[in-house]
Amino acid sequence: MIAENNSGGRAKGTGATIIRYRGVVKRYGAFTALDGVFLNVHAGEVVCLIGPSGSGKSTLLRCTNGLESIEGGDIEFEGTMLPRDERALRAVRQRMGMVFQSFELFPHLTAQQNVSEGPRTVLQMNQADANQRAAALLDKVGLADKAPNYPSALSGGQQQRVAIARALAMNPDVMLFDEPTSALDPETIGEVLSVMKKLADEGMTMVVVTHEMSFARRVGDWVAVFDAGRIVEQGPPRQIFDAPTTERTRDFLSHLGWSG
Amino acid sequence: MEFDFAVITDHARFLASGVGVSLLLAVLSGATSLATGFIVALLRLYGPPWLKPAVVLYIDSMRAIPVLVVLVWTFFALPIVTGLTMPPFFAALLGLTIHLAAYAAEIVRAGIESVRPGQTRAALALGMSRSQILLRIVLPQAIVRMLPAFGSLLSITIKDTAIASVIAVPELMRQSETVAGQSFQPIEVYTFAMLVYFAMLFPVTRGVDLFYRRVAHLGRS
Ligand SMILES: Nc1ncnc2c1ncn2[C@@H]1O[C@H](COP(=O)(O)OP(=O)(O)OP(=O)(O)O)[C@@H](O)[C@H]1O
Ligand SMILES: [Mg+2]
């Protein structure tokens, strides 16, 4: 009984539902990557997706902003079904920021230009305003002094913080994070997580795929455990980490060496 | 054996005009093959599906046919087929372009395809359109990555201009042949020609290398 009844016990679950996944099915040829996913994301909430490799967490994120199409079920964003048409999808994508495991900064643009690129090309903002916004966001992620640097002259943690600023520059309603710290050195993970924590504290709605269990526990309002394309358990972090109700969750957490 | 390089100075203006024609032909055919190569590659990658077999056939055939054959065909056969006669210089420009654009197209395609899909995904996630992504995100990186290959192509272009001598384009090789024939001093004349080709090519390959080293990071994602 995973479907729909996931509103109880949510810390900040009073906001409206921003994303609603209803029986989402995604196939790659004969392989079913998502096998009926039900999940609600409420305004202002941090929802963490955890689970073993290959269980479909990234796939769900990519379906959320239409980078992948789905074969079954539906995804509702701010009360409207995700469109299929490219132009309408672009409008939706502007409302969702996305941060990737491999940063994906544009190497031919400086940090500042990376952040102003979205406002410039997508929002058609003038150069001065876009630069101002970029400068403010770089300052917010603690990189004001790196504005003129190209990505090749930034550390991994710095690149990821620029990537967060780039996503924020579109003024999104939701931020999607796909393992934002998995490619980082242990020393720089903290700087990225603290930027994310700050965003969460400001009330940003966030969907975060992560292997950082301590982050999910501390910052997450809701945790969904994936296995083989399904959510096998979801609930507040207390439940998932201290009193998991399914064998799968217990297996996954003990595999990670999580001791509660 | 005695060498007398006075033959070079005696025919300095004649040979220099050949150098000028070679350079002009190289620069023009380099530019037209590059432009055509971009268009062909974009058609192959993003063009209508019905056009792709034709584009692939063109690229594959140009890679299989010697440039000399293309050039001679352009000069002697094309006018008969089309009824249009061309001065040798234009036939050479056209033939070289037809041939080299196929290579340029493959360089452009490989460059575009080497930009990893995550870059496109990141740009899509911002809400950018496919054409914005191509022009603002993918091509700038791809062009940086193409530089070394373009450098080689440009040197091949300069070298291939020598083939235009067979259709009587008065470029360096043709002029050298003329001087060598009249003076009976092929060693001096052809040595000079070799040196001039080297002098034209060396700065190009070196220059591209140096430039690439400075900008390589702009294409590294
Ligand atoms: N483009 C694709 N084509 C075919 N199969 C794919 C594709 N993308 C993902 N898959 C498959 O779908 C499954 C789910 O992949 P996904 O990347 O969503 O897993 P994940 O939970 O994010 O894992 P990880 O923790 O390793 O990132 C995997 O088995 C993967 O091999
Ligand atoms: Mg993943």
Side-chain angles (χ1 to χ4, degrees):
Chain A
M1 289 315 296
I2 302 152
E4 300 274 8
N5 61 348
N6 57 357
S7 50
R10 297 189 134 171
K12 291 187 277 180
T14 47
T17 304
I18 294 223
I19 307 173
R20 195 192 297 273
Y21 302 93
R22 276 192 302 229
V24 174
V25 175
K26 171 71 197 174
R27 292 194 192 89
Y28 292 108
F31 179 76
T32 304
L34 294 176
D35 192 10
V37 170
F38 291 89
L39 176 69
N40 289 341
V41 178
H42 298 138
E45 205 175 47
V46 177
V47 172
C48 293
L49 313 182
I50 65 173
S53 182
S55 57
K57 309 175 300 289
S58 302
T59 304
L60 189 74
L61 279 199
R62 290 208 289 268
C63 292
T64 308
N65 64 356
L67 292 179
E68 300 276 8
S69 58
I70 58 177
E71 275 75 44
D74 58 65
I75 300 173
E76 226 176 63
F77 175 63
E78 297 182 335
T80 320
M81 286 251 290
L82 213 62
R84 287 187 174 255
D85 153 72
E86 266 292 316
R87 181 179 294 266
L89 259 183
R90 287 209 294 274
V92 171
R93 288 184 187 133
Q94 294 174 32
R95 317 293 322 140
M96 306 187 198
M98 193 170 207
V99 174
F100 303 84
Q101 178 175 353
S102 47
F103 328 135
E104 301 299 347
L105 286 186
F106 306 131
H108 60 299
L109 302 178
T110 64
Q112 164 114 9
Q113 290 166 335
N114 263 279
V115 181
S116 62
E117 179 66 17
R120 287 282 289 145
T121 40
V122 180
L123 305 177
Q124 260 115 44
M125 192 182 276
N126 69 52
Q127 184 85 61
D129 290 351
N131 284 346
Q132 204 180 344
R133 183 181 284 194
L137 285 167
L138 285 175
D139 188 46
K140 182 186 175 111
V141 299
L143 292 172
D145 57 324
K146 302 292 183 191
N149 285 36
Y150 284 95
S152 56
L154 296 172
S155 73
Q158 291 168 339
Q159 288 188 55
Q160 194 60 300
R161 285 186 282 155
V162 174
I164 293 173
R166 175 178 69 179
L168 290 173
M170 296 297 291
N171 252 332
D173 299 339
V174 184
M175 286 283 285
L176 311 173
F177 292 86
D178 192 357
E179 297 194 35
T181 60
S182 294
L184 297 176
D185 300 331
E187 314 88 74
T188 56
I189 289 177
E191 67 193 45
V192 171
L193 290 181
S194 75
V195 166
M196 292 170 63
K197 168 92 167 63
K198 191 160 97 183
L199 269 184
D201 291 344
E202 288 169 5
M204 175 61 79
T205 310
M206 298 168 41
V207 182
V208 185
V209 175
T210 186
H211 289 302
E212 295 288 326
M213 294 305 136
S214 57
F215 178 85
R217 186 188 177 104
R218 247 179 339 111
V219 183
D221 298 298
W222 196 257
V223 177
V225 185
F226 277 68
D227 191 62
R230 292 166 181 265
I231 294 179
V232 291
E233 178 166 3
Q234 56 181 303
R238 286 186 314 283
Q239 174 199 321
I240 301 296
F241 294 109
D242 299 340
T245 58
T246 68
E247 194 57 42
R248 288 291 177 80
T249 306
R250 278 193 291 271
D251 282 353
F252 173 67
L253 292 174
S254 71
H255 188 71
L256 285 183
W258 180 265
S259 45
Chain B
M1 227 190 286
E2 298 233 329
F3 299 127
D4 181 6
F5 281 92
V7 63
I8 307 299
T9 44
D10 290 347
H11 297 89
R13 287 188 61 181
F14 187 72
L15 289 169
S17 76
V19 174
V21 171
S22 287
L23 278 175
L24 187 67
L25 186 57
V27 168
L28 287 181
S29 49
T32 52
S33 348
L34 214 61
T36 315
F38 262 95
I39 293 167
V40 171
L42 293 178
L43 284 175
R44 176 162 187 183
L45 287 171
Y46 310 108
W50 54 266
L51 198 61
K52 280 179 201 178
V55 173
V56 173
L57 178 67
Y58 159 67
I59 291 172
D60 287 351
S61 54
M62 281 310 132
R63 296 207 292 182
I65 303 169
V67 60
L68 176 61
V69 177
V70 177
L71 208 65
V72 167
W73 190 88
T74 311
F75 186 60
F76 294 107
L78 193 62
I80 301 171
V81 177
T82 61
L84 295 167
T85 47
M86 271 178 290
F89 184 86
F90 283 98
L93 179 57
L94 184 62
L96 284 174
T97 302
I98 291 173
H99 183 80
L100 294 167
Y103 287 89
E106 284 302 272
I107 293 172
V108 173
R109 182 174 70 101
I112 288 174
E113 287 181 336
S114 77
V115 176
R116 53 182 216 198
Q119 290 283 302
T120 298
R121 238 176 269 139
L124 280 173
L126 287 173
M128 291 172 78
S129 68
R130 294 275 169 189
S131 57
Q132 286 173 331
I133 294 171
L134 181 65
L135 289 175
R136 300 185 59 96
I137 305 300
V138 174
L139 272 183
Q141 300 178 44
I143 288 171
V144 172
R145 288 159 178 236
M146 293 170 203
L147 280 176
F150 278 151
S152 323
L153 190 66
L154 188 54
S155 55
I156 290 171
T157 307
I158 296 173
K159 288 190 272 190
D160 280 359
T161 58
I163 294 170
S165 60
V166 300
I167 57 172
V169 176
E171 46 67 68
L172 175 58
M173 195 59 206
R174 178 74 177 192
Q175 306 299 76
S176 305
E177 283 167 8
T178 307
V179 174
Q182 287 170 358
S183 64
F184 302 105
Q185 289 181 280
I187 296 178
E188 289 87 342
V189 175
Y190 290 134
T191 304
F192 170 76
M194 273 170 62
L195 290 172
V196 172
Y197 278 114
F198 181 78
M200 288 196 286
L201 270 159
F202 190 68
V204 169
T205 49
R206 261 308 146 87
V208 172
D209 273 1
L210 282 175
F211 181 64
Y212 177 67
R213 235 172 288 161
R214 293 189 53 173
V215 299
H217 70 99
L218 299 177
R220 213 175 281 139
S221 58

